[in-house]
């Protein structure tokens, strides 16, 4: 629960700084209000996803259909770390008035795909673990929708 506060604070500060950048970055970089709302939602949802994936590592009763549970958990962890790292770098580039390299957007997309594949492979008959897995899937879907909003609205 406490991990959300620094993330929300960081997002708010980052968005405030983006609007105050002295350099003249492109309109796409600054974005309109909806673009920046989508960016903040994406960061928030990835933060929630990260916390839930951490909880999932200790869950009992996970079953993997095509891989091993350990491999899927590792894919979830590295995927979330990859998305977070690329998103942080994009925010830093925005704050500094620089153009974010397209490779960072590709990194986010690739890591989201990795997370999706791992989630599709996992299931559980344990009630508590199944509920946690549902939460992780919902948080992933929310992050994915916010990411699609960024792509659509930040033009």
């Amino acid at each position: 629960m406490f991990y959300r506060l620094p993330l929300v604070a960081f997002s708010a500060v980052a968005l405030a700084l983006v609007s105050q950048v002295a350099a003249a970055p492109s309109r796409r970089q600054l974005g309109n209000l909806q673009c920046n709302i989508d960016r903040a939602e994406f960061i928030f949802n990835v933060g929630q996803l990260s916390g839930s994936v951490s909880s999932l590592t200790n869950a009992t009763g996970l079953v993997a259909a095509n891989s091993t549970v350990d491999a899927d958990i590792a894919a979830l962890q590295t995927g979330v770390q990859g998305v977070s790292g690329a998103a942080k770098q994009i925010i830093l580039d925005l704050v500094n008035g620089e153009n974010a390299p397209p490779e960072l957007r590709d990194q986010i997309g690739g890591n989201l795909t990795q997370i999706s594949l791992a989630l599709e492979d996992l299931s559980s008959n344990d009630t508590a673990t199944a509920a946690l897995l549902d939460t992780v899937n919902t948080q992933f879907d929310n992050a994915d929708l916010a990411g699609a909003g960024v792509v659509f609205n930040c033009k």
Side-chain angles (χ1 to χ4, degrees), residues 13-14 40 42 48 50 54 59 63 65-66 84 90 97 106 112 119 126 129 136:
V13 169
F42 181 76
Q48 284 190 314
S50 177
S54 293
V63 178
N66 299 309
S84 296
I90 289 172
D106 294 342
L112 288 174
L119 286 174
D126 179 78
T129 301
V136 171

Side-chain angles (χ1 to χ4, degrees), residues 5-93:
L5 187 57
L7 181 62
V8 172
F10 176 75
S11 297
V13 169
L15 288 174
L17 289 174
V18 166
S19 66
Q20 301 298 320
V21 173
S26 69
R27 183 181 181 291
R28 175 185 166 94
Q29 289 294 109
L30 290 177
N32 61 22
L33 178 61
Q34 186 59 52
C35 167
N36 288 311
I37 290 170
D38 291 334
R39 286 173 174 162
E41 286 180 355
F42 181 76
I43 297 299
F44 176 75
N45 287 311
V46 169
Q48 284 190 314
L49 179 63
S50 177
S52 296
V53 166
S54 293
S55 297
L56 197 60
T57 61
N58 299 322
T60 57
L62 281 172
V63 178
N66 299 309
S67 184
T68 66
V69 170
D70 289 343
D72 285 336
I73 293 295
L76 289 172
Q77 290 172 323
T78 58
V80 168
Q81 289 169 355
V83 168
S84 296
K88 287 176 188 173
Q89 186 58 53
I90 289 172
I91 289 171
L92 289 173
D93 289 346

Side-chain angles (χ1 to χ4, degrees), residues 59-152:
T60 57
L62 281 172
V63 178
N66 299 309
S67 184
T68 66
V69 170
D70 289 343
D72 285 336
I73 293 295
L76 289 172
Q77 290 172 323
T78 58
V80 168
Q81 289 169 355
V83 168
S84 296
K88 287 176 188 173
Q89 186 58 53
I90 289 172
I91 289 171
L92 289 173
D93 289 346
L94 288 172
V95 168
N96 291 325
E98 300 171 1
N99 289 325
E103 297 82 26
L104 293 173
R105 292 184 292 278
D106 294 342
Q107 183 179 342
I108 288 174
N111 281 293
L112 288 174
T113 300
Q114 178 178 328
I115 294 167
S116 176
L117 293 173
L119 286 174
E120 288 173 9
D121 195 46
L122 290 172
S123 64
S124 179
N125 291 328
D126 179 78
T127 306
T129 301
L132 179 58
L133 199 52
D134 286 344
T135 298
V136 171
N137 275 293
T138 299
Q139 291 168 342
F140 171 77
D141 290 343
N142 291 341
D144 197 39
L145 286 172
V150 170
V151 169
F152 183 76

